[in-house]
Amino acid sequence: MSLVLDPAAQDLLFREARTANTFTDEPVTDEQVRAIYDLVKYGPTSMNQSPLRVTLVRSPEARERLVAHLAEGNQAKTAAAPLVAILSADNEFHEELPQLFPHFPQAKDLFAERPVREGSAALNATLQAAYFIIGVRAAGLAAGPMTGLDFEGLRKEFLDDDHTPLMVVNIGRPGPDAWFPRGPRLDYEQVVTTV
């Protein structure tokens, strides 16, 4: 059985897409980011929790503060990227459940305990982060997601105790020599088991 999605779109989103390590200086606009969000917000999460929060780092001062929390190998490319997004999990996502999951008014009560919320927020926001990266690709841009960073330092610098940083994503048009060689992938038989 073949996929319904056009092969060119499959290439754009998956087969030809890779993590960018250099970017041009072409700006990424607020309109582009809004279009990305307006697409990826429809990706499913458990009970429609939608705990992902996005902090856009645009000012030179904020960029400098951010770069200080990144691993050395991630600093130069982040300093040069047109836009950087900090993706985090909102551990108070349950406050939005009356709006997001209205057919079950007691949904918020299921997440009364903070450890339960944190686990669910991390899982579902990470799922949404993957949607976000695919959305960046759908916009014709390249994404450079990174987890080589001081998470606690980043949280203290940009977030609060109710938000857990997940990753930093550089966003823009790919620059010269943007790609490392494609890494290998596991074969179907290595991943899929039927029971």
Side-chain angles (χ1 to χ4, degrees), residues 66-139:
L66 171 63
V67 166
H69 295 287
L70 300 179
E72 186 176 337
N74 292 332
Q75 292 179 348
K77 58 187 170 186
T78 302
L83 180 63
V84 183
I86 300 169
L87 304 186
S88 63
D90 181 357
N91 295 310
E92 298 298 316
F93 70 88
H94 68 305
E95 297 294 340
E96 307 297 336
L97 285 179
Q99 173 190 346
L100 295 173
F101 208 60
H103 62 279
F104 181 36
Q106 301 82 12
K108 178 180 170 182
D109 300 337
L110 299 175
F111 300 97
E113 296 180 21
R114 177 75 181 228
V116 173
R117 287 198 309 273
E118 287 178 349
S120 195
L123 175 65
N124 286 282
T126 301
L127 182 61
Q128 287 186 284
Y131 300 147
F132 183 83
I133 292 165
I134 299 300
V136 168
R137 293 172 176 177

Side-chain angles (χ1 to χ4, degrees), residues 157-173:
E157 188 79 38
F158 289 96
L159 306 171
D160 58 32
D161 289 339
D162 290 332
H163 293 81
T164 302
L166 302 171
M167 66 186 69
V168 170
V169 182
N170 294 330
I171 304 169
R173 301 253 179 232

